Each structure stands twice: as structure tokens, then as C-alpha cells.
Amino acid sequence: MNKLTYYIDRGLHTYESFLEYTVPSIEKDEMLARQLCTYHILQGRQYELLANEMNGKEEELTLKDLGENQRQQDERTYDPAHGIPIEFRKVLYPGSEGNAANTYLNTIKVDRHWDVLRYLTKDAVEVPSFDKMSVTSTEIDEDRSCYVLYVKG
């Protein structure tokens, strides 16, 4: 696992390469964390994961462009120099185009992507100041420098 390449599915079996990460610019555990996210927010746009594939020592993600990301009023941007933020948001009701109305619950910061992986691989998590909640989807929001776990319950 030396390279992670993002592709956009343009339809009719057409895939456009648009982003690439290589070791050592990001660590292997960060590559894996990105692959576990259902949604990716990049440069003001929202993408949904369609496929996650291996090609030798390279990792490939195929994404569907869902359009402009609709930010929530309570979203904040984090400083990545002070830990890796994991934000918990409760899904209120489904929206269109993959967007859903949600509300902020809490944020924790972890030191390593290994700790992020613990959260991304769970069906239910303890949300600080709340009970155990079911994870409905996960997201990496590069624009806000955080991971987001969408929860219900």
C-alpha cells in the first residue's frame, strides 16, 4: 500500500483520476481510514464511495460526485495541528442527493489514525455526553480537517 488514487465515475464506464496520495506524504493507516469512509468532502463537493479496490500495492477509490456540499450551520473547521478530530453528528432525517439533515453532538480528538480506525470500523459507538449510538455512515471532510461519524439512536 504505497499509493491511494481517487477516481470519479463519469458514467458509461468512464473514470477520471482526480486525486492521489503517496507514502510518505500520508501514512498507511490514514490511507486505510480514507478507504473506510462512505462519504468524502473535497474542495466544496460531496462524493459517495462506490468502489474500493486494490491494484498491486496501490489502493483505488471510485467515487460518485453528489454535487456541491451543503454545509450545516453548526459545522466548524478544525486545526489538524492539534490532534485528529472525530465529530459525531446525529442524523435527523434523510435529505436528497446523499445529503441528510443532521445536528452536531460532540467532537473528540485522537493522536493517531489507528485510533480513527477503531471508530470507523464500528456499528455502534459511545458518543461522549450521550449513550451508545448506531453508526449510519462515515465521512472524511478534508475541507474541515475532520472525520465525521453520523449516528442515530
Side-chain angles (χ1 to χ4, degrees):
M1 187 164 42
N2 296 323
K3 182 166 82 170
L4 173 63
T5 305
Y6 285 72
Y7 293 90
I8 300 288
D9 183 348
R10 297 293 184 199
L12 300 173
H13 305 290
T14 305
Y15 305 95
E16 176 185 327
S17 171
F18 81 104
L19 186 60
E20 182 177 287
Y21 293 99
T22 57
V23 171
S25 65
I26 67 171
E27 297 293 326
K28 292 180 180 184
D29 55 355
E30 183 178 352
M31 281 189 192
L32 186 55
R34 289 168 177 272
Q35 294 174 60
L36 291 171
C37 292
T38 313
Y39 296 98
H40 297 250
I41 307 298
L42 303 159
Q43 302 164 358
R45 300 193 68 76
Q46 182 182 34
Y47 300 92
E48 182 178 13
L49 180 65
L50 295 179
N52 186 348
E53 301 178 26
M54 301 171 73
N55 186 5
K57 291 190 176 195
E58 297 180 11
E59 309 297 316
E60 299 175 343
L61 297 181
T62 303
L63 306 175
K64 176 182 179 182
D65 186 346
L66 298 176
E68 184 178 339
N69 182 46
Q70 304 298 316
R71 288 191 66 160
Q72 302 291 317
Q73 289 182 347
D74 60 359
E75 288 183 350
R76 61 180 275 217
T77 300
Y78 297 91
D79 181 357
H82 298 97
I84 304 166
I86 302 174
E87 188 176 272
F88 300 93
R89 301 187 74 81
K90 186 173 184 179
V91 176
L92 301 175
Y93 55 87
S96 61
E97 294 282 291
N99 292 314
N102 59 73
T103 188
Y104 173 82
L105 295 178
N106 212 328
T107 301
I108 62 168
K109 291 193 178 181
V110 297
D111 295 323
R112 305 170 303 158
H113 272 88
W114 178 254
D115 298 316
V116 173
L117 291 170
R118 274 193 74 216
Y119 283 89
L120 293 176
T121 57
K122 301 300 183 268
D123 294 321
V125 294
E126 292 283 341
V127 179
S129 302
F130 295 87
D131 272 338
K132 185 181 281 189
M133 302 180 93
S134 298
V135 177
T136 61
S137 63
T138 58
E139 173 179 278
I140 180 168
D141 190 331
E142 289 198 36
D143 295 351
R144 299 190 308 118
S145 300
C146 68
Y147 289 88
V148 180
L149 271 68
Y150 292 95
V151 297
K152 67 179 182 178

